[in-house]
Amino acid sequence: MKNKNPLWLDNAVFYEIYPQSFNDTNGDGIGDFRGIIEKLDYIRELGCTAIWMNPCFESPFGDAGYDVSDYMKAAPRYGTNEDLKRLFNECHKRDMHILLDLVPGHTSVEHKWFKESLKAEKNEFTDRYVWTDSIWEEPQGMGCIRGISDRDGSCAVNFFSHQPALNYGFYKCDRPWQQSMDSEGAKATLEAMKDVMRFWLGMGCDGFRVDMAGSLVKHDEDGKGTIKLWQNVREFLDKEFPEAAMVSEWGEPDKSLQGGFHMDFLLHFGPSHYNDLFRCEEPFFSSRGKGDVSEFVKKYTENYEKSQRKGLICIPSGNHDMDRLARSIHGDNLKIAFAFLLSMPGAPFIYYGDEIGMRYVEGLTSVEGGYGRTGSRTPMQWDNTTNAGFSSASKELLYIPMDESPDRPTAQAQMNDKNSLRSEIKRLIDIRQSRKALQSRGDIKFVYAEKNEYPLAYLRGSGDEWVLVIINPANREVSFDCRFTPVDTIYSFGGEIKVEDGRITVPPCFAGYFEV
Ligand code: GLC
Ligand code: CA
């Protein structure tokens, strides 16, 4: 059965905001909530109807905020809880929705729960994290923090070594210190996380993107325990916040949607072959035309068949963890990539700046645990004023150095140019929003997706409205047999197709949508 979901999700187009790099209004070099509010009209004008904002909670920022030290307090550098509430309201005024980033798998070492759990005397937080019972025993395969507590034991970590793993129990226990999912400690952690959700949903946020959602229950290879845990959360939400939208960073929709999530991402990790499209040696969307889309389509179809009635699968343009799309895909091929992204089922996610083809900035020193990801997190380029309109701070104060290239793209220039990438994306979103067949819940049937071949063709449909999508990123003419005859052109970029005896010839670097 389909997970109950908020109706707005069905035709939502998301925009991901990395708050520190978006818009700085008080000149400290770091983006802030007021800055986001100022730019909501820009996002709406592009056609996006929803926002996912990366973590904005109190944190020592060893992992850009994915190391939370207080789940219920906005990080002062972005503003206050009141400001955040205003951001929710300003979104709603524009008929937009906003998801916060929930990080349930781990906290910062500075979280008061962790400080309490370090103590030798037993207390409320002794079992809040995954601890072994001897400093000499490491939790296998997880990495750990040890030697900094009075308590005798080692604490498992979830990501960096300063992110202790919260305890939701083990699916299979084989050591005395491992607690089951039903243990008091594990249950208390989950209840505490529900309180965090209650807090923000009560304040007006529309749901969560959930960080590392598949990582919570340990020793859970097939994800059965973690699925069960999220089903418990689903029950709570159905009861108290049936309108809340839940999107997982899991990368395996067949599992996450069973857990009651409305959507899951296909990502740079996991079994999806997402990287074959945009981020590998020969990406399918490169004009070289040496890529292969067939493995991606195979996996997609598998996932789709397993999960389509339950929820959605979404393919992001990128995110704060991946190389910028424009690092490997260039020029017109970016438009072609978006013609694909904006005609697939599931809600599209546009990473801030991808709409103007912001570049990956090479050679930067890591900022706040970004490492190689830092080059994808540089300040948004708004216009040609100081610091591209991002901030009035002096250069050294900027959160991350700007792209300094003289021809760096800006939002303003692209808004004034009807041939820009941004204008193309705006058109594509408009078309998507005007046709049910192209929206999130419309069906998909692949027509042509052969190994090492171009183009890619698929039908999108709903009821008796069907649209044929033809995508040819390769810089050469290609053709394929097709039993559907394109009648009217809904959208085309890069020339015209020829149809003859059931064979369609497609010009180089082309994307088109057709009524059939
Ligand atoms: C997720 C986030 C990433 C973060 C990690 C640890 O993958 O997207 O940015 O570093 O989880 O929380
Ligand atoms: Ca600021």
Side-chain angles (χ1 to χ4, degrees):
M1 215 189 60
K2 168 171 174 260
N3 293 326
K4 282 187 220 161
N5 72 311
L7 279 178
W8 62 264
L9 212 55
D10 280 353
N11 59 358
V13 176
F14 278 87
Y15 192 86
E16 177 189 345
I17 294 179
Y18 192 71
Q20 41 275 65
S21 297
F22 199 55
N23 186 28
D24 171 25
T25 55
N26 64 349
D28 64 356
I30 299 183
D32 40 55
F33 297 141
R34 277 185 42 202
I36 296 173
I37 293 173
E38 261 183 16
K39 298 295 183 184
L40 288 176
D41 290 332
Y42 167 87
I43 298 170
R44 192 73 187 87
E45 196 269 348
L46 177 63
C48 292
T49 58
I51 288 169
W52 153 32
M53 179 169 64
N54 294 104
C56 58
F57 315 107
E58 198 173 81
S59 164
F61 293 103
D63 184 13
Y66 283 97
D67 47 335
V68 178
S69 57
D70 186 343
Y71 284 106
M72 302 202 194
K73 186 170 175 231
R77 71 187 200 182
Y78 302 131
T80 61
N81 281 12
E82 273 310 299
D83 295 329
L84 184 50
K85 189 173 173 179
R86 241 188 74 224
L87 172 58
F88 301 156
N89 291 337
E90 292 294 328
C91 286
H92 298 155
K93 270 192 207 161
R94 293 164 175 80
D95 211 10
M96 296 169 81
H97 293 87
I98 180 164
L99 307 184
L100 294 180
D101 208 318
L102 183 72
V103 191
H106 46 271
T107 67
S108 146
V109 282
E110 289 183 20
H111 197 293
K112 68 171 190 286
W113 297 345
F114 188 65
K115 289 188 181 155
E116 288 297 309
S117 88
L118 290 169
K119 294 183 178 164
E121 323 75 75
K122 203 170 164 44
N123 62 51
E124 197 189 334
F125 303 102
T126 301
D127 295 328
R128 182 60 42 106
Y129 297 83
V130 179
W131 283 91
T132 68
D133 53 13
S134 152
I135 187 78
W136 309 118
E137 178 165 355
E138 292 179 35
Q140 259 190 2
M142 285 186 252
C144 69
I145 301 174
R146 54 180 178 162
I148 60 161
S149 61
D150 292 339
R151 168 185 192 159
D152 188 11
S154 310
C155 183
V157 298
N158 222 26
F159 195 69
F160 289 143
S161 55
H162 54 73
Q163 287 161 312
L166 284 161
N167 173 32
Y168 295 92
F170 283 68
Y171 190 60
K172 277 179 250 131
C173 303
D174 50 32
R175 299 287 301 144
W177 50 266
Q178 295 174 351
Q179 305 189 348
S180 74
M181 289 179 67
D182 300 321
S183 63
E184 286 312 309
K187 285 198 300 203
T189 310
L190 184 56
E191 290 313 308
M193 210 42 70
K194 287 181 191 168
D195 280 342
V196 173
M197 299 174 80
R198 262 189 204 104
F199 182 79
W200 293 112
L201 290 168
M203 202 178 273
C205 99
D206 296 296
F208 301 95
R209 172 271 189 184
V210 179
D211 187 64
M212 293 177 68
S215 75
L216 302 195
V217 177
K218 305 302 180 196
H219 281 192
D220 183 26
E221 284 71 40
D222 304 328
K224 292 200 177 105
T226 306
I227 292 172
K228 202 168 138 206
L229 178 143
W230 285 112
Q231 286 170 342
N232 176 315
V233 173
R234 168 89 346 253
E235 259 173 57
F236 143 70
L237 289 172
D238 282 346
K239 225 179 278 156
E240 296 183 34
F241 299 97
E243 290 297 300
M246 295 292 285
V247 185
S248 50
E249 185 204 32
W250 192 320
E252 296 178 76
D254 51 328
K255 294 182 183 154
S256 48
L257 301 183
Q258 274 185 59
F261 281 97
H262 299 117
M263 294 202 272
D264 191 13
F265 293 108
L266 300 184
L267 291 166
H268 52 301
F269 58 81
S272 71
H273 282 269
Y274 168 78
N275 282 346
D276 297 4
L277 303 176
F278 312 115
R279 293 170 182 83
C280 63
E281 217 174 290
E282 289 296 348
F284 179 74
F285 278 92
S286 154
S287 63
R288 287 190 297 272
K290 292 186 183 156
D292 176 34
V293 79
S294 65
E295 295 292 323
F296 168 81
V297 168
K298 207 160 98 198
K299 277 281 162 206
Y300 187 91
T301 312
E302 262 172 51
N303 268 315
Y304 188 73
E305 275 161 11
K306 273 194 238 164
S307 57
Q308 93 156 284
R309 283 175 12 257
K310 289 202 196 71
L312 304 170
I313 302 173
C314 45
I315 313 172
S317 71
N319 69 25
H320 62 291
D321 294 329
M322 300 180 210
D323 287 356
R324 281 273 180 197
L325 187 63
R327 194 182 196 190
S328 48
I329 310 297
H330 312 287
D332 284 349
N333 280 59
L334 284 170
K335 296 180 180 169
I336 297 169
F338 275 97
F340 161 76
L341 289 165
L342 291 165
S343 63
M344 286 294 283
F349 273 71
I350 302 175
Y351 182 48
Y352 85 94
D354 277 356
E355 76 279 21
I356 56 169
M358 259 175 71
R359 297 173 190 144
Y360 179 87
V361 179
E362 307 285 342
L364 294 178
T365 304
S366 178
V367 173
E368 296 188 342
Y371 301 96
R373 305 175 293 184
T374 307
S376 299
R377 299 175 173 184
T378 57
M380 177 67 182
Q381 294 147 205
W382 295 105
D383 55 35
N384 284 331
T385 61
T386 314
N387 299 322
F390 162 68
S391 166
S392 61
S394 64
K395 257 193 190 160
E396 316 77 66
L397 276 183
L398 296 185
Y399 172 70
I400 294 177
M402 310 268 337
D403 179 352
E404 288 295 347
S405 24
D407 64 342
R408 66 183 174 209
T410 67
Q412 191 185 42
Q414 294 212 3
M415 285 175 85
N416 294 333
D417 172 3
K418 65 178 185 1
N419 294 318
S420 67
L421 175 61
R422 190 186 184 280
S423 299
E424 203 66 31
I425 292 176
K426 186 172 148 73
R427 261 194 291 284
L428 286 162
I429 296 177
D430 260 356
I431 295 173
R432 179 182 177 96
Q433 298 298 48
S434 67
R435 306 242 164 192
K436 248 205 138 94
L438 288 170
Q439 288 170 12
S440 302
R441 291 210 172 269
D443 208 350
I444 183 165
K445 296 185 203 309
F446 288 94
V447 175
Y448 190 83
E450 296 299 308
K451 187 147 196 76
N452 298 323
E453 297 288 343
Y454 287 72
L456 166 67
Y458 46 91
L459 283 174
R460 293 297 317 282
S462 167
D464 33 65
E465 188 197 2
W466 287 88
V467 175
L468 176 67
V469 178
I470 304 175
I471 303 280
N472 178 27
N475 192 12
R476 59 173 184 273
E477 187 180 273
V478 292
S479 58
F480 69 112
D481 288 327
C482 183
R483 61 196 172 86
F484 307 94
T485 313
V487 264
D488 279 320
T489 306
I490 300 165
Y491 168 79
S492 88
F493 174 81
E496 275 176 42
I497 55 166
K498 279 178 274 175
V499 188
E500 226 171 34
D501 297 335
R503 199 160 174 85
I504 301 183
T505 304
V506 191
C509 296
F510 171 90
Y513 307 164
F514 306 91
E515 269 169 22
V516 286

PDB file of all heavy atoms in Angstrom, residues 52 54 63 66-67 101 103 106 159-160 163 209 211-212 249 269 319-321 369 373 377, ligand 1:
ATOM      1  N   TRP A  52      14.921  21.886   0.896  1.00  0.00           N
ATOM      2  CA  TRP A  52      15.593  21.071   1.908  1.00  0.00           C
ATOM      3  C   TRP A  52      16.783  21.891   2.356  1.00  0.00           C
ATOM      4  O   TRP A  52      17.606  22.272   1.526  1.00  0.00           O
ATOM      5  CB  TRP A  52      16.026  19.718   1.337  1.00  0.00           C
ATOM      6  CG  TRP A  52      17.217  19.116   2.034  1.00  0.00           C
ATOM      7  CD1 TRP A  52      17.572  19.249   3.361  1.00  0.00           C
ATOM      8  CD2 TRP A  52      18.249  18.295   1.446  1.00  0.00           C
ATOM      9  NE1 TRP A  52      18.748  18.563   3.618  1.00  0.00           N
ATOM     10  CE2 TRP A  52      19.176  17.973   2.465  1.00  0.00           C
ATOM     11  CE3 TRP A  52      18.457  17.795   0.161  1.00  0.00           C
ATOM     12  CZ2 TRP A  52      20.311  17.184   2.224  1.00  0.00           C
ATOM     13  CZ3 TRP A  52      19.582  17.005  -0.077  1.00  0.00           C
ATOM     14  CH2 TRP A  52      20.490  16.696   0.948  1.00  0.00           C
ATOM     15  N   ASN A  54      20.159  22.038   4.765  1.00  0.00           N
ATOM     16  CA  ASN A  54      21.111  21.237   5.532  1.00  0.00           C
ATOM     17  C   ASN A  54      21.067  21.659   7.006  1.00  0.00           C
ATOM     18  O   ASN A  54      20.518  22.698   7.328  1.00  0.00           O
ATOM     19  CB  ASN A  54      22.521  21.395   4.950  1.00  0.00           C
ATOM     20  CG  ASN A  54      22.615  20.798   3.562  1.00  0.00           C
ATOM     21  OD1 ASN A  54      22.622  21.522   2.573  1.00  0.00           O
ATOM     22  ND2 ASN A  54      22.628  19.491   3.480  1.00  0.00           N
ATOM     23  N   ASP A  63      31.661  18.780  11.167  1.00  0.00           N
ATOM     24  CA  ASP A  63      31.157  18.159   9.940  1.00  0.00           C
ATOM     25  C   ASP A  63      30.021  19.047   9.415  1.00  0.00           C
ATOM     26  O   ASP A  63      28.920  18.585   9.137  1.00  0.00           O
ATOM     27  CB  ASP A  63      30.681  16.727  10.217  1.00  0.00           C
ATOM     28  CG  ASP A  63      30.237  16.000   8.935  1.00  0.00           C
ATOM     29  OD1 ASP A  63      30.515  16.497   7.816  1.00  0.00           O
ATOM     30  OD2 ASP A  63      29.594  14.928   9.062  1.00  0.00           O
ATOM     31  N   TYR A  66      26.568  18.494  10.719  1.00  0.00           N
ATOM     32  CA  TYR A  66      26.098  17.113  10.865  1.00  0.00           C
ATOM     33  C   TYR A  66      26.630  16.509  12.171  1.00  0.00           C
ATOM     34  O   TYR A  66      26.624  15.308  12.365  1.00  0.00           O
ATOM     35  CB  TYR A  66      26.494  16.258   9.658  1.00  0.00           C
ATOM     36  CG  TYR A  66      25.597  16.529   8.465  1.00  0.00           C
ATOM     37  CD1 TYR A  66      25.983  17.415   7.467  1.00  0.00           C
ATOM     38  CD2 TYR A  66      24.344  15.930   8.355  1.00  0.00           C
ATOM     39  CE1 TYR A  66      25.150  17.692   6.386  1.00  0.00           C
ATOM     40  CE2 TYR A  66      23.508  16.189   7.290  1.00  0.00           C
ATOM     41  CZ  TYR A  66      23.908  17.070   6.306  1.00  0.00           C
ATOM     42  OH  TYR A  66      23.075  17.336   5.255  1.00  0.00           O
ATOM     43  N   ASP A  67      27.117  17.385  13.026  1.00  0.00           N
ATOM     44  CA  ASP A  67      27.565  17.001  14.361  1.00  0.00           C
ATOM     45  C   ASP A  67      26.832  17.923  15.320  1.00  0.00           C
ATOM     46  O   ASP A  67      27.328  18.964  15.724  1.00  0.00           O
ATOM     47  CB  ASP A  67      29.095  17.143  14.469  1.00  0.00           C
ATOM     48  CG  ASP A  67      29.640  18.479  13.921  1.00  0.00           C
ATOM     49  OD1 ASP A  67      28.985  19.116  13.056  1.00  0.00           O
ATOM     50  OD2 ASP A  67      30.715  18.899  14.377  1.00  0.00           O
ATOM     51  N   ASP A 101      16.938  19.114   8.148  1.00  0.00           N
ATOM     52  CA  ASP A 101      17.791  17.929   8.053  1.00  0.00           C
ATOM     53  C   ASP A 101      17.868  17.311   9.447  1.00  0.00           C
ATOM     54  O   ASP A 101      18.361  17.943  10.379  1.00  0.00           O
ATOM     55  CB  ASP A 101      19.182  18.373   7.572  1.00  0.00           C
ATOM     56  CG  ASP A 101      19.910  17.285   6.820  1.00  0.00           C
ATOM     57  OD1 ASP A 101      19.847  16.123   7.273  1.00  0.00           O
ATOM     58  OD2 ASP A 101      20.560  17.590   5.806  1.00  0.00           O
ATOM     59  N   VAL A 103      19.402  14.563  11.897  1.00  0.00           N
ATOM     60  CA  VAL A 103      20.614  13.731  11.968  1.00  0.00           C
ATOM     61  C   VAL A 103      20.474  12.773  13.155  1.00  0.00           C
ATOM     62  O   VAL A 103      20.996  13.031  14.238  1.00  0.00           O
ATOM     63  CB  VAL A 103      21.881  14.620  12.120  1.00  0.00           C
ATOM     64  CG1 VAL A 103      23.142  13.791  11.926  1.00  0.00           C
ATOM     65  CG2 VAL A 103      21.854  15.784  11.142  1.00  0.00           C
ATOM     66  N   HIS A 106      23.884  10.105  14.982  1.00  0.00           N
ATOM     67  CA  HIS A 106      25.019  10.456  15.837  1.00  0.00           C
ATOM     68  C   HIS A 106      24.890  11.903  16.278  1.00  0.00           C
ATOM     69  O   HIS A 106      24.135  12.667  15.686  1.00  0.00           O
ATOM     70  CB  HIS A 106      26.327  10.271  15.067  1.00  0.00           C
ATOM     71  CG  HIS A 106      26.289  10.846  13.678  1.00  0.00           C
ATOM     72  ND1 HIS A 106      25.869  10.129  12.582  1.00  0.00           N
ATOM     73  CD2 HIS A 106      26.566  12.090  13.213  1.00  0.00           C
ATOM     74  CE1 HIS A 106      25.916  10.891  11.506  1.00  0.00           C
ATOM     75  NE2 HIS A 106      26.327  12.094  11.851  1.00  0.00           N
ATOM     76  N   PHE A 159      30.402   8.202  11.763  1.00  0.00           N
ATOM     77  CA  PHE A 159      30.983   8.802  10.547  1.00  0.00           C
ATOM     78  C   PHE A 159      32.389   9.247  10.898  1.00  0.00           C
ATOM     79  O   PHE A 159      33.268   8.413  11.022  1.00  0.00           O
ATOM     80  CB  PHE A 159      30.075   9.949  10.075  1.00  0.00           C
ATOM     81  CG  PHE A 159      30.354  10.403   8.665  1.00  0.00           C
ATOM     82  CD1 PHE A 159      30.065   9.581   7.590  1.00  0.00           C
ATOM     83  CD2 PHE A 159      30.918  11.657   8.419  1.00  0.00           C
ATOM     84  CE1 PHE A 159      30.353  10.005   6.283  1.00  0.00           C
ATOM     85  CE2 PHE A 159      31.194  12.081   7.123  1.00  0.00           C
ATOM     86  CZ  PHE A 159      30.906  11.257   6.056  1.00  0.00           C
ATOM     87  N   PHE A 160      32.618  10.550  11.122  1.00  0.00           N
ATOM     88  CA  PHE A 160      33.931  10.965  11.592  1.00  0.00           C
ATOM     89  C   PHE A 160      34.116  10.487  13.034  1.00  0.00           C
ATOM     90  O   PHE A 160      33.136  10.192  13.729  1.00  0.00           O
ATOM     91  CB  PHE A 160      34.076  12.495  11.549  1.00  0.00           C
ATOM     92  CG  PHE A 160      34.183  13.056  10.150  1.00  0.00           C
ATOM     93  CD1 PHE A 160      33.582  14.276   9.832  1.00  0.00           C
ATOM     94  CD2 PHE A 160      34.888  12.392   9.152  1.00  0.00           C
ATOM     95  CE1 PHE A 160      33.692  14.812   8.554  1.00  0.00           C
ATOM     96  CE2 PHE A 160      34.989  12.925   7.871  1.00  0.00           C
ATOM     97  CZ  PHE A 160      34.387  14.134   7.574  1.00  0.00           C
ATOM     98  N   GLN A 163      31.927  11.808  15.927  1.00  0.00           N
ATOM     99  CA  GLN A 163      30.462  11.673  15.848  1.00  0.00           C
ATOM    100  C   GLN A 163      30.000  10.350  16.466  1.00  0.00           C
ATOM    101  O   GLN A 163      29.809   9.347  15.771  1.00  0.00           O
ATOM    102  CB  GLN A 163      30.020  11.799  14.378  1.00  0.00           C
ATOM    103  CG  GLN A 163      30.111  13.250  13.880  1.00  0.00           C
ATOM    104  CD  GLN A 163      30.136  13.369  12.373  1.00  0.00           C
ATOM    105  OE1 GLN A 163      30.901  12.671  11.689  1.00  0.00           O
ATOM    106  NE2 GLN A 163      29.324  14.257  11.812  1.00  0.00           N
ATOM    107  N   ARG A 209      14.505  15.743   5.807  1.00  0.00           N
ATOM    108  CA  ARG A 209      15.410  14.882   5.056  1.00  0.00           C
ATOM    109  C   ARG A 209      16.204  14.213   6.165  1.00  0.00           C
ATOM    110  O   ARG A 209      16.705  14.873   7.075  1.00  0.00           O
ATOM    111  CB  ARG A 209      16.314  15.732   4.144  1.00  0.00           C
ATOM    112  CG  ARG A 209      17.431  14.966   3.436  1.00  0.00           C
ATOM    113  CD  ARG A 209      18.704  14.920   4.265  1.00  0.00           C
ATOM    114  NE  ARG A 209      19.839  14.382   3.516  1.00  0.00           N
ATOM    115  CZ  ARG A 209      21.036  14.166   4.040  1.00  0.00           C
ATOM    116  NH1 ARG A 209      21.264  14.444   5.302  1.00  0.00           N
ATOM    117  NH2 ARG A 209      22.014  13.684   3.309  1.00  0.00           N
ATOM    118  N   ASP A 211      19.261  12.183   7.608  1.00  0.00           N
ATOM    119  CA  ASP A 211      20.651  11.845   7.368  1.00  0.00           C
ATOM    120  C   ASP A 211      20.946  10.375   7.691  1.00  0.00           C
ATOM    121  O   ASP A 211      20.524   9.875   8.734  1.00  0.00           O
ATOM    122  CB  ASP A 211      21.502  12.739   8.276  1.00  0.00           C
ATOM    123  CG  ASP A 211      22.978  12.622   8.007  1.00  0.00           C
ATOM    124  OD1 ASP A 211      23.396  12.984   6.906  1.00  0.00           O
ATOM    125  OD2 ASP A 211      23.723  12.161   8.906  1.00  0.00           O
ATOM    126  N   MET A 212      21.666   9.701   6.821  1.00  0.00           N
ATOM    127  CA  MET A 212      22.088   8.315   7.052  1.00  0.00           C
ATOM    128  C   MET A 212      20.991   7.461   7.686  1.00  0.00           C
ATOM    129  O   MET A 212      21.222   6.725   8.647  1.00  0.00           O
ATOM    130  CB  MET A 212      23.348   8.288   7.930  1.00  0.00           C
ATOM    131  CG  MET A 212      24.571   8.874   7.235  1.00  0.00           C
ATOM    132  SD  MET A 212      26.051   8.941   8.288  1.00  0.00           S
ATOM    133  CE  MET A 212      26.426   7.201   8.486  1.00  0.00           C
ATOM    134  N   GLU A 249      17.969   9.790   3.331  1.00  0.00           N
ATOM    135  CA  GLU A 249      19.266   9.546   2.713  1.00  0.00           C
ATOM    136  C   GLU A 249      19.596   8.096   3.053  1.00  0.00           C
ATOM    137  O   GLU A 249      20.100   7.793   4.131  1.00  0.00           O
ATOM    138  CB  GLU A 249      20.350  10.471   3.279  1.00  0.00           C
ATOM    139  CG  GLU A 249      21.669  10.280   2.524  1.00  0.00           C
ATOM    140  CD  GLU A 249      22.913  10.658   3.295  1.00  0.00           C
ATOM    141  OE1 GLU A 249      22.949  10.509   4.529  1.00  0.00           O
ATOM    142  OE2 GLU A 249      23.879  11.085   2.662  1.00  0.00           O
ATOM    143  N   PHE A 269      26.557   6.803  -3.448  1.00  0.00           N
ATOM    144  CA  PHE A 269      26.924   5.514  -2.850  1.00  0.00           C
ATOM    145  C   PHE A 269      25.718   4.592  -2.982  1.00  0.00           C
ATOM    146  O   PHE A 269      24.631   5.043  -3.346  1.00  0.00           O
ATOM    147  CB  PHE A 269      27.346   5.678  -1.376  1.00  0.00           C
ATOM    148  CG  PHE A 269      26.299   6.300  -0.497  1.00  0.00           C
ATOM    149  CD1 PHE A 269      25.256   5.549   0.030  1.00  0.00           C
ATOM    150  CD2 PHE A 269      26.339   7.654  -0.208  1.00  0.00           C
ATOM    151  CE1 PHE A 269      24.280   6.121   0.839  1.00  0.00           C
ATOM    152  CE2 PHE A 269      25.360   8.237   0.605  1.00  0.00           C
ATOM    153  CZ  PHE A 269      24.333   7.470   1.123  1.00  0.00           C
ATOM    154  N   ASN A 319      24.502  17.150  -4.587  1.00  0.00           N
ATOM    155  CA  ASN A 319      24.266  17.637  -3.234  1.00  0.00           C
ATOM    156  C   ASN A 319      25.590  18.054  -2.624  1.00  0.00           C
ATOM    157  O   ASN A 319      26.618  18.041  -3.307  1.00  0.00           O
ATOM    158  CB  ASN A 319      23.474  16.634  -2.382  1.00  0.00           C
ATOM    159  CG  ASN A 319      24.253  15.382  -2.028  1.00  0.00           C
ATOM    160  OD1 ASN A 319      25.485  15.398  -1.985  1.00  0.00           O
ATOM    161  ND2 ASN A 319      23.564  14.297  -1.770  1.00  0.00           N
ATOM    162  N   HIS A 320      25.552  18.395  -1.354  1.00  0.00           N
ATOM    163  CA  HIS A 320      26.740  18.923  -0.676  1.00  0.00           C
ATOM    164  C   HIS A 320      27.825  17.874  -0.460  1.00  0.00           C
ATOM    165  O   HIS A 320      28.881  18.191   0.054  1.00  0.00           O
ATOM    166  CB  HIS A 320      26.286  19.508   0.665  1.00  0.00           C
ATOM    167  CG  HIS A 320      25.674  18.451   1.540  1.00  0.00           C
ATOM    168  ND1 HIS A 320      24.450  17.864   1.244  1.00  0.00           N
ATOM    169  CD2 HIS A 320      26.141  17.819   2.637  1.00  0.00           C
ATOM    170  CE1 HIS A 320      24.196  16.936   2.150  1.00  0.00           C
ATOM    171  NE2 HIS A 320      25.199  16.889   3.002  1.00  0.00           N
ATOM    172  N   ASP A 321      27.550  16.628  -0.797  1.00  0.00           N
ATOM    173  CA  ASP A 321      28.545  15.559  -0.642  1.00  0.00           C
ATOM    174  C   ASP A 321      29.179  15.133  -1.964  1.00  0.00           C
ATOM    175  O   ASP A 321      30.104  14.330  -1.978  1.00  0.00           O
ATOM    176  CB  ASP A 321      27.895  14.313  -0.016  1.00  0.00           C
ATOM    177  CG  ASP A 321      27.429  14.544   1.405  1.00  0.00           C
ATOM    178  OD1 ASP A 321      28.052  15.355   2.117  1.00  0.00           O
ATOM    179  OD2 ASP A 321      26.432  13.912   1.806  1.00  0.00           O
ATOM    180  N   GLY A 369      35.261  20.026   7.900  1.00  0.00           N
ATOM    181  CA  GLY A 369      35.105  18.601   7.593  1.00  0.00           C
ATOM    182  C   GLY A 369      34.602  18.326   6.189  1.00  0.00           C
ATOM    183  O   GLY A 369      34.088  17.248   5.896  1.00  0.00           O
ATOM    184  N   ARG A 373      34.684  17.644  -0.540  1.00  0.00           N
ATOM    185  CA  ARG A 373      33.343  18.176  -0.764  1.00  0.00           C
ATOM    186  C   ARG A 373      33.313  19.706  -0.724  1.00  0.00           C
ATOM    187  O   ARG A 373      32.347  20.337  -1.148  1.00  0.00           O
ATOM    188  CB  ARG A 373      32.376  17.621   0.301  1.00  0.00           C
ATOM    189  CG  ARG A 373      32.368  16.100   0.356  1.00  0.00           C
ATOM    190  CD  ARG A 373      31.495  15.565   1.495  1.00  0.00           C
ATOM    191  NE  ARG A 373      32.028  15.872   2.819  1.00  0.00           N
ATOM    192  CZ  ARG A 373      31.484  15.442   3.963  1.00  0.00           C
ATOM    193  NH1 ARG A 373      30.393  14.702   3.937  1.00  0.00           N
ATOM    194  NH2 ARG A 373      32.014  15.747   5.125  1.00  0.00           N
ATOM    195  N   ARG A 377      30.762  23.399  -2.168  1.00  0.00           N
ATOM    196  CA  ARG A 377      29.997  24.114  -1.135  1.00  0.00           C
ATOM    197  C   ARG A 377      30.331  25.598  -1.109  1.00  0.00           C
ATOM    198  O   ARG A 377      30.137  26.271  -0.102  1.00  0.00           O
ATOM    199  CB  ARG A 377      30.328  23.502   0.236  1.00  0.00           C
ATOM    200  CG  ARG A 377      29.970  22.037   0.346  1.00  0.00           C
ATOM    201  CD  ARG A 377      30.434  21.434   1.680  1.00  0.00           C
ATOM    202  NE  ARG A 377      29.930  20.060   1.831  1.00  0.00           N
ATOM    203  CZ  ARG A 377      30.092  19.313   2.907  1.00  0.00           C
ATOM    204  NH1 ARG A 377      30.748  19.793   3.953  1.00  0.00           N
ATOM    205  NH2 ARG A 377      29.601  18.086   2.959  1.00  0.00           N
TER     206      ARG A 377
HETATM  207  C1  GLC B   1      25.478  12.422   5.327  1.00  0.00           C
HETATM  208  C2  GLC B   1      25.610  13.897   5.017  1.00  0.00           C
HETATM  209  C3  GLC B   1      27.059  14.261   5.075  1.00  0.00           C
HETATM  210  C4  GLC B   1      27.574  14.016   6.474  1.00  0.00           C
HETATM  211  C5  GLC B   1      27.319  12.567   6.901  1.00  0.00           C
HETATM  212  C6  GLC B   1      27.475  12.385   8.385  1.00  0.00           C
HETATM  213  O1  GLC B   1      26.016  11.622   4.350  1.00  0.00           O
HETATM  214  O2  GLC B   1      24.994  14.193   3.804  1.00  0.00           O
HETATM  215  O3  GLC B   1      27.281  15.583   4.682  1.00  0.00           O
HETATM  216  O4  GLC B   1      28.944  14.286   6.542  1.00  0.00           O
HETATM  217  O5  GLC B   1      26.021  12.143   6.587  1.00  0.00           O
HETATM  218  O6  GLC B   1      26.397  12.957   9.068  1.00  0.00           O
END
